[in-house]
Structures are given as structure tokens and as C-alpha cells.
RNA sequence: GGCGAGGUAGCUCAGCUGGUCUAGAGCGCUGGAUUCAUAACCCGGAGGUCGAGGGUUCGAGUCCCUCCCUCGCCA
């Protein structure tokens, strides 16, 4: 069984879960669900990054221990992901020993190999903030603190550095010989452009004073006066989690999903570290863009972050699967930002879910009830009818789904399932089963067989469409399968279940259930739901 | 300032190496048909001087130049 290991970034534990965290993790979830269905041995990883110094500060403000604070906030991410029906196989926290011990080991290895060395760091220090600011920021503020306005101090301190510069050629070569390594294309160009300007070694630690405060973070091996920078330690999570005898087979990761702001770390620093550790590199680093809210950039100062509670409100009104569908199909998977706009949400919801899938399921099930007492009609042996070659048509969309998932094109893949639904709608209009039903004089009327064939084809096509839609809307697609009396496929069963009238095809005589409306039409005038 | 991406219907976008593009899709809008269905589905229509100007060519949304605008990355 091929393995497929995919990751999201680990999220800063002080943050409140918002649409951005949910989006990246949802992408991973949809891909993971599809891969499992298609037979891969999948490991999907997400988690929290907990060792920043601000975590200590905030815990103090809240009057709780750092661990308690981190526990509480990590749980908020778990809850958010549970609400979104996200199916991570593991949730790593950098404060866990399994992470800390191995991350220390990697650092030690890099020290031993000389890829991490002790050097002098010269920079502009802001005493008020107790942090360094970059040269460009310092210059922009006339060498005064951007916060307090007091003069910055030029300081030199000893730091450990990672010899990033040594990997420039290998990185360039790798990116050029592996066209899918950095995606999408525009992001790859950015990385290559920046590589052309040359690489500098990067500091990976900072001196800490032992003031008796709580033990937090990872110290430099053999030099506990230095704490490993949180970002470099955080990157290690992708490896620490699978660096066990049981999980080694998953490495290297097939796909790292992340947002564009941390592309550099993932496409350059992390691969260079892996080279230094003599580890194989991940297959693809995919950096998506951002969601904006109602056309405006989300920011702390604007206070317009779409937080998990607002997504919950959407979920309550329109269903969680509708939220998943909107994010997955309308999200900023490419290089440009996407808008989470209420009017747009309602448009997509009505057009694709209510008028599309929901209405189609409703009309098919209803006719089977009306004309065949709610039992799957007998299709005899015909498969091509009304100008549609159903086995061929559905198989084409199944294959297209696979190809699109390979390219992480979720929008395209989602529409493969929907395309079958559209085909069913067109087929019904062309063959007019409802009109046929009126012409039928009795059970011996040969037109009865035509009617049966038409409705069987509709139901079977809808079944396969649902299988393809399962990764996007696990609840609703399963609900359609339930209505049709079909089984929901398990891991590795895509092929068998997507097979027209195969082992899992609809069986003549089996009951079809009229369920509640799947996605009821939304009122376009209604205001957006609020948390 | 350096590098990069892009400006195509009301909206979101396809249009690869120039010629079925007399310019497309989906949504929205509009007319019709229909009634199995969630005022839905199906068919048709309107709507664009393809950012502006110049050039190459028998022929340019597609190549070249200049300019304008937007966005991203870096400094």
C-alpha cells in the first residue's frame, strides 16, 4: 500500500482558531479523505506550536502555568477541527516529549556535522521590547524603536547559526529538477528569485537568562544558555512525529500544506535542514494564499478575522458540509487571495448544493417512490440510454478526480462529482420519465421497462457522484448514499464503489428512502449569520 | 528600488507553443419550455473595442516595445 503523509503547519497556540487555520487543515483533510478512499496508507498531521516566549507571558497574564495555558488553547484548535469534521491522524504539540527529544537530537546532529555553529550576531536591539528588529525595519524607523521611539542599540551577541548558505546550489537544483516541489507556480518563482540573491546563514538560537522562570522550549544541546529559536524547532515536527520504527515508512512527507507567509521556511530552510540531516525531501510544498473577509484584508487592527464561532454559525444555518464545500471550492488555493463574502457564499450554496445536488437527489428519489413504490427499479442490462453512456461518463469523472487530486486541484476535483449530478439533471429533462409514467397503461406496457431503466440510471449515477463528493462533504454525501440504500465506502474502496453496477451498485428491489431535504434553498436576502 | 504575477462579460475566472476566438465557462440577469423536484431543472438571449498606444505578421487576447493600473515576494 503506498503511503501518503501530509501535514499542515503547527499553529501558534496563542492564536484563536480562525478561518485560516481551518482552511489549511480542511485542505489537508479533503486530500487525506480522498487518498484513504483510493487506497493509500495516509497519515495526516496537524498540531500546535507552543514554545514561543509570548506563550509564557500570556500564561502569566492569565495566572496559570504555561502548560495549563497551552493545554487550554491547544484544545480550542482540537475543538475547532472536530467541528469542521477534520480527520487528522495525529495532533502534535511541540511541548510533548516525543517532539522535544527528537528535535534536540536533530539539532545535536547538526552541531556535530558543523552545519550549526557558534557565531556572532550583530543587530539592532530594542531594549523596551527585548527583541531585535531587522536592519530594514531599523532603518525605516530611523534606528529608533518602532514601539517606544527610543533609540535602538547596536548589539552583538553569540548565537548558533545554521549554515544555510552551503545548500544554495543543491536547493536550486532540486527545485528546478522537481517542478512540483514548490507550488503553485507563482510561489516557486518567488523562491527561485530570492535564491538568486544568495543565501545567508540564519541564527537558530538565542541566549536566555536563567531567571528561575518556568522551563519552556528547547535548549541548545551542551549549551543550555541558549534556547533554540521556536521556528526552527517547530519545523522539526514534521519529522519528529514519524521518526519511530512504526512510522518511519511515512517519511518523506508527500505534501506540506501551508499559507504563503511561511513559504520560505518550508521551501528553503526546512529542505536545507533535511539535506544537512541526510534525509530525503518532501514531495511538494504547497503554499496557498489568504482568505479576505468581505473584500477586506483580515487583520488584528481591523478586528475582522472570521473566527471559528462565525464558521460555527454558518455551519448551524447551512450545515458544516456547506461550509466545507465553500471553503474547499472557493478558497485561495492558487496564488491570489479569495474572498469570504456572505452573498457569494449564498450564491454558491444555492447554485451548487441546493439547486444542484440537493434538488437532484430529491427529484430522483421522489420519482422512484411515485412510480416504483420506493424500490430500486429493474434496469435489465442496458447501460447506454438517452444518448448517455453512463459507465463511461462516470468512470471518466472518477479518473479526472484522481488526476486533479494529484495536482491538489480541489476545486476541479469537487466539480467532478457535481458534473455527474448535472448530467443526471439533463438526462431527466431529455428522457422525461415523468411524462413516460403518464403514458404507461399497465405493468405489461413495454414503456415500463424504459421508465425503470431511466430511474435506475439516475440513482446509480447519483450514487457514484456521492462517492466522489464524500471527501468534501462526508455527512451529506453519506446521507445521499443512505437515501439510495447504498453503502458508504471505506478505506481503499473507491474503485469498487465507483464501478457502475459493480459489487456495490444499486440492487433492484432494494428500498430507497425519502430523506429530509439535503440542502434547503437559502434566502439571499437574509443577513449573514453571526457568532 | 530589485524580482515576479496579473489586467478578458455585472461577479469569479478559462483561453498552452499566434489561424474553428465571427471571443468562452460558471454564477447573476432576462425570455421560453416543462412539471418529477428544494419558485428548482432544461433550452435560448442580452452583455466584452480581451488595460492604453504603437509594432512584427497574410493573420494577435495570444509575440515585441512603451505607458497606465493592481497584486505578491524581497530590500
Amino acid at each position: 500500500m503506498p503511503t501518503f503523509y501530509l501535514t499542515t503547519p503547527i499553529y501558534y497556540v496563542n492564536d484563536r482558531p480562525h478561518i485560516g487555520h481551518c482552511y489549511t487543515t480542511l485542505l489537508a483533510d479533503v486530500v487525506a479523505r480522498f487518498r484513504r478512499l483510493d487506497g493509500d496508507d495516509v497519515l495526516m498531521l496537524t498540531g500546535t506550536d507552543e514554545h514561543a516566549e509570548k506563550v509564557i507571558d500570556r500564561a502569566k497574564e492569565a495566572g496559570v502555568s504555561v502548560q495549563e495555558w497551552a493545554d487550554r488553547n491547544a484544545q480550542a484548535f482540537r475543538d475547532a477541527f472536530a467541528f469542521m469534521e477534520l480527520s487528522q491522524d495525529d495532533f502534535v504539540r511541540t511541548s510533548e516529549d516525543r517532539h522535544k527529544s527528537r528535535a534536540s537530537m536533530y539539532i545535536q546532529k547538526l552541531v556535530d556535522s558543523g552545519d550549526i555553529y557558534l557565531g556572532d550576531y550583530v543587530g539592532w536591539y530594542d531594549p523596551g521590547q527585548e527583541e531585535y528588529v531587522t536592519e530594514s525595519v531599523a532603518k525605516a524607523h530611523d534606528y529608533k524603536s518602532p514601539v517606544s521611539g527610543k533609540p535602538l542599540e547596536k548589539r552583538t551577541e553569540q548565537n548558533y547559526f545554521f549554515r544555510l548558505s552551503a545548500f544554495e546550489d543543491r536547493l536550486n537544483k532540486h527545485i528546478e529538477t522537481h517542478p512540483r516541489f514548490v507550488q503553485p507556480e507563482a510561489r516557486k518563482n518567488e523562491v527561485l528569485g530570492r535564491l538568486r540573491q544568495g543565501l545567508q546563514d540564519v541564527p537558530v538560537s538565542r541566549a536566555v537568562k536563567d531567571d528561575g522562570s518556568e522551563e519552556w522550549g528547547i535548549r541548545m544541546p551542551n549549551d543550555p544558555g541558549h534556547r533554540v529559536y521556536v521556528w526552527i524547532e517547530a519545523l522539526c515536527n514534521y519529522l519528529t512525529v514519524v521518526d519511530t520504527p512504526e512510522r518511519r515508512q511515512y517519511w518523506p512527507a508527500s505534501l506540506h500544506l501551508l499559507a504563503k507567509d511561511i513559504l520560505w521556511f518550508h521551501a528553503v530552510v526546512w529542505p536545507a535542514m533535511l539535506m544537512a540531516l541526510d534525509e530525503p525531501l518532501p514531495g511538494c510544498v504547497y503554499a496557498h494564499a489568504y482568505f479576505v473577509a468581505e473584500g477586506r484584508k483580515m487583520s488584528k487592527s481591523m478586528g475582522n478575522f472570521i473566527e471559528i464561532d462565525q464558521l460555527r454559525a454558518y455551519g448551524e444555518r447551512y450545515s458544516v458540509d456547506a461550509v466545507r464545500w465553500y471553503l474547499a471550492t472557493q478558497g485561495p488555493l492558487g496564488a491570489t487571495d479569495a474572498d469570504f463574502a456572505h452573498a457569494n457564499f449564498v450564491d454558491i450554496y444555492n447554485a451548487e448544493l441546493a439547486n444542484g445536488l440537493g434538488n437532484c437527489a430529491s427529484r430522483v428519489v421522489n420519482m422512484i417512490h411515485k412510480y416504483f413504490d420506493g424500490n430500486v427499479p429493474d434496469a435489465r442490462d442496458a447501460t447506454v440510454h438517452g444518448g448517455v453512456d453512463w459507465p463511461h461518463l462516470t468512470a471518466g469523472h472518477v479518473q479526472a478526480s484522481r488526476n486533479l487530486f494529484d495536482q491538489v486541484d480541489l476545486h476541479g476535483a469537487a466539480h467532478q462529482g457535481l458534473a455527474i449530478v448535472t448530467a443526471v439533471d439533463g438526462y431527466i429533462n431529455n428522457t422525461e420519465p415523468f411524462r413516460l409514467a403518464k403514458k404507461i397503461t399497465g405493468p405489461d406496457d413495454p414503456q415500463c421497462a424504459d421508465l425503470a431503466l431511466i430511474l435506475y440510471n439516475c440513482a446509480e449515477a447519483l450514487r457514484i457522484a456521492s462517492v466522489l463528493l464524500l471527501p468534501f462533504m462526508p455527512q451529506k454525501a453519506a446521507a445521499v448514499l443512505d437515501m439510495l440504500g447504498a453503502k458508504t465506502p471505506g478505506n481503499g474502496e473507491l474503485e469498487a464503489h465507483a464501478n457502475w453496477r459493480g459489487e456495490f451498485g444499486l440492487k433492484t428491489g432494494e428500498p430507497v428512502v425519502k430523506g429530509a431535504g439535503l440542502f434547503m434553498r437559502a434566502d439571499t436576502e437574509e443577513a449573514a449569520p453571526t457568532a
Side-chain angles (χ1 to χ4, degrees), chain A residues 133-460:
Chain A
V133 300
T134 64
E135 179 66 33
S136 54
V137 170
K139 193 174 178 183
H141 291 85
D142 198 23
Y143 301 98
K144 284 172 184 157
S145 167
V147 182
S148 64
K150 288 179 185 164
L152 296 168
E153 297 170 13
K154 186 152 205 168
R155 277 205 194 174
T156 299
E157 67 175 54
Q158 278 206 316
N159 277 143
Y160 285 90
F161 284 80
F162 172 57
R163 212 178 289 283
L164 183 62
S165 58
F167 298 91
E168 194 175 318
D169 290 343
R170 286 175 66 187
L171 282 165
N172 261 312
K173 200 164 289 170
H174 187 83
I175 293 171
E176 264 152 22
T177 54
H178 298 76
R180 312 251 7 259
F181 183 64
V182 183
Q183 289 288 306
E185 208 65 22
R187 298 269 99 92
K188 176 163 82 179
N189 288 344
E190 282 176 15
V191 170
L192 286 172
R194 211 170 143 184
L195 277 173
R196 254 178 260 125
Q197 296 168 21
L199 291 178
Q200 293 189 331
D201 293 349
V202 287
V204 296
S205 77
R206 181 171 170 199
V208 284
K209 48 197 179 305
D210 269 314
D211 57 1
S213 70
E214 290 187 71
E215 188 60 35
W216 199 246
I218 296 180
R219 301 301 173 105
M220 280 302 292
N222 303 324
D223 195 348
H226 288 261
R227 177 153 48 209
V228 176
Y229 264 155
V230 67
W231 59 264
I232 198 158
E233 169 226 312
L235 284 168
C236 294
N237 90 87
Y238 304 127
L239 185 54
T240 62
V241 167
V242 295
D243 198 359
T244 65
E246 310 79 53
R247 280 183 165 178
R248 251 293 161 171
Q249 77 228 21
Y250 289 108
W251 191 259
S254 304
L255 177 63
H256 287 314
L257 283 161
L258 42 126
K260 59 185 178 181
D261 55 332
I262 50 177
L263 174 64
W264 184 250
F265 289 129
H266 285 80
V268 175
V269 180
W270 175 232
M273 284 170 67
L274 290 170
M275 285 172 177
L277 289 167
D278 219 13
E279 291 284 349
L281 302 192
C284 178
V285 174
Y286 197 110
H288 64 74
Y290 297 142
F291 258 113
V292 299
E294 300 293 346
R296 286 158 175 268
K297 204 167 187 166
M298 291 188 285
S299 69
K300 282 198 175 116
S301 54
M302 288 280 296
N304 63 340
F305 268 97
I306 294 174
E307 298 202 21
I308 186 65
D309 288 342
Q310 190 170 352
L311 292 178
R312 279 184 207 277
Y314 269 88
E316 274 164 34
R317 189 190 289 175
Y318 304 102
S319 78
V320 171
D321 279 351
V323 175
R324 289 175 56 103
W325 180 263
Y326 182 77
L327 295 186
T329 63
Q330 304 301 309
L333 197 51
T336 48
D337 294 347
D339 195 8
F340 187 101
H342 180 65
N344 187 229
F345 182 99
V346 173
D347 279 351
I348 294 293
Y349 174 89
N350 277 338
E352 299 182 344
L353 301 180
N355 299 348
L357 180 60
N359 179 59
C360 186
S362 167
R363 67 198 300 212
V364 169
V365 168
N366 190 63
M367 281 192 278
I368 290 176
H369 267 262
K370 228 166 182 161
Y371 311 140
F372 294 94
D373 295 325
N375 298 316
V376 174
D378 185 357
R380 314 272 164 97
D381 292 324
T383 51
V384 181
H385 180 256
V388 186
D389 180 343
W390 287 105
H392 182 76
L393 182 142
T394 48
H397 288 300
V398 172
Q399 191 50 47
S401 266
R402 281 203 181 90
N403 297 341
L404 291 160
F405 267 110
D406 279 345
Q407 296 160 42
V408 202
D409 181 352
L410 298 207
H411 178 83
H415 285 274
Q416 294 308 308
L418 219 53
I420 296 178
V421 174
T422 304
V424 170
D425 275 330
Y427 178 66
I428 293 173
N429 278 69
N430 289 334
T431 57
E432 301 183 310
F434 41 87
R435 186 172 283 188
L436 205 55
K438 285 179 185 158
K439 290 195 281 188
I440 290 173
T441 52
D444 295 331
D445 192 324
Q447 292 182 109
C448 212
D450 278 350
L451 181 62
L453 175 62
I454 293 168
L455 292 181
Y456 182 91
N457 286 345
C458 289
E460 178 69 351

